[in-house]
Amino acid sequence: MGYKNEIDLLKLPKHIAIIMDGNGRWAKGKGKLRIFGHHNGVLSVRDVVEGSVELGINYLTLYTFSSENWNRPKLEVMAIMELMVNTINKEINRFMDNNVRLQAIGDLKMLPDKCYTELTNAINKTSVNTGLVVTLALSYSSRKEILQAVKQIAGKVQNGELNIDDIDEEIFENNLYTNGMPNPELLIRTSGEYRISNYLLWQIAYAELYFTSKLWPDFRREDLFEAILDYQKRERRFGLTSEQVN
Ligand code: FPP
């Protein structure tokens, strides 16, 4: 049976964002090094991507590496970057088979050259695909994203391209990294932490939040389906009354 059969395919969230947390603790629990957790986290990424394709989700945005993560021990940072290069190389054919388009948001200039090059190649190669858009948030900080939007808008005001009174939510959104994407309706965080950790702060204003104690390497498509079912049971009121939305 499973959760999938219970999902209403007409009421799917268009955009799901995930904070993939708990790789380190998962590995530690098995008496292994943290990187073992990240390696197994990649298997969850693959399964969740394919589960999203299976359902027909439009956008999946994965918090892969935060700006703050650069401050982790050098060895772990290097291992994650190498894992990323290898994963992108390995997954590209699956992305093509599944019609998945890869994107990345964040301060990508910070990435090591090899990682940046592989990522750009994969983004270019998959740009012809028309199915699920998988966005990796890499070297990402929502506050930095908001600040760069403010600077971009201020620049346009300064050079006379934009009138200050015309700045509205739409213009602001157009200057975020996520320009052109719908806002996530569902945000999932694994590992039992109840935090947003500087992730898509503007974009999740009305998202439904779903927290699970499962650690990321244990999270698979069935868990995604369970989260979607939970989302579908909620009443989204956007500040209105229950009577108004019904
Ligand atoms: C959080 O767990 C996980 C990360 C910081 C890295 C996530 C990266 C992957 C799953 C690799 C994905 C690669 C691609 C290409 C998508 P944590 O280390 O913070 O765990 P902890 O909270 O238990 O220490």
Side-chain angles (χ1 to χ4, degrees):
M1 181 53 198
Y3 295 109
K4 192 187 163 196
N5 298 328
E6 289 179 57
I7 292 176
D8 181 347
L9 296 176
L10 298 174
K11 289 189 187 150
L12 288 175
K14 282 193 180 60
H15 184 174
I16 300 176
I18 306 186
I19 302 177
M20 312 184 285
D21 195 14
N23 293 351
R25 275 164 284 164
W26 185 89
K28 199 172 169 199
K30 296 189 157 25
K32 306 269 193 186
L33 295 174
R34 296 176 55 81
I35 190 66
F36 182 69
H38 298 316
H39 274 270
N40 279 276
V42 170
L43 303 179
S44 299
V45 170
R46 180 189 291 163
D47 204 57
V48 164
V49 166
E50 295 189 353
S52 303
V53 170
E54 190 182 327
L55 280 187
I57 300 293
N58 301 115
Y59 294 88
L60 180 68
T61 301
L62 303 172
Y63 206 177
T64 308
F65 196 84
S66 71
S67 295
E68 292 77 17
N69 286 154
W70 289 116
N71 299 322
R72 287 194 174 191
K74 204 169 166 218
L75 218 60
E76 180 174 347
V77 171
M78 277 162 52
I80 293 179
M81 291 301 141
E82 198 179 309
L83 176 63
M84 214 128 62
V85 173
N86 294 338
T87 304
I88 291 167
N89 273 333
K90 264 204 270 179
E91 295 304 306
I92 186 108
N93 289 338
R94 280 172 181 269
F95 284 169
M96 295 312 288
D97 290 346
N98 284 306
N99 195 22
V100 167
R101 181 149 66 93
L102 186 70
Q103 289 189 158
I105 54 172
D107 188 3
L108 305 179
K109 296 183 302 296
M110 291 281 289
L111 296 173
D113 288 348
K114 191 157 192 293
C115 195
Y116 181 82
T117 311
E118 292 294 341
L119 182 69
T120 315
N121 287 344
I123 290 172
N124 290 338
K125 186 155 185 214
T126 61
S127 64
V128 293
N129 293 340
T130 54
L132 173 71
V133 178
V134 172
T135 305
L136 302 181
L138 279 173
S139 187
Y140 176 85
S141 147
S142 185
R143 286 185 173 178
K144 286 205 170 91
E145 176 185 29
I146 290 171
L147 271 180
Q148 71 76 38
V150 168
K151 285 184 191 166
Q152 229 162 263
I153 292 169
K156 286 175 193 164
V157 171
Q158 198 173 36
N159 67 26
E161 214 181 299
L162 188 64
N163 193 320
I164 209 160
D165 294 324
D166 292 336
I167 300 171
D168 58 11
E169 292 189 10
E170 193 185 338
I171 289 190
F172 195 80
E173 290 197 340
N174 293 344
N175 285 277
L176 292 172
Y177 300 146
T178 48
N179 176 25
M181 292 163 70
N183 288 320
E185 297 98 325
L186 174 61
L187 172 72
I188 299 171
R189 181 174 189 143
T190 60
S191 93
E193 306 285 0
Y194 300 92
R195 283 192 292 275
I196 301 300
S197 300
N198 205 3
Y199 192 42
L200 303 173
L201 298 178
W202 171 283
Q203 297 88 336
I204 60 163
Y206 279 101
E208 296 296 328
L209 309 183
Y210 180 89
F211 298 100
T212 168
S213 59
K214 276 213 173 169
L215 303 175
W216 178 250
D218 288 329
F219 191 92
R220 294 300 149 103
R221 76 181 75 187
E222 245 337 86
D223 301 293
L224 175 75
F225 296 162
E226 187 178 7
I228 293 172
L229 251 187
D230 187 273
Y231 159 85
Q232 290 189 333
K233 288 186 187 134
R234 300 188 193 183
E235 181 182 67
R236 306 190 73 214
R237 290 195 294 277
F238 301 98
L240 301 178
T241 66
S242 193
E243 290 71 27
Q244 282 176 301
V245 287
N246 289 306

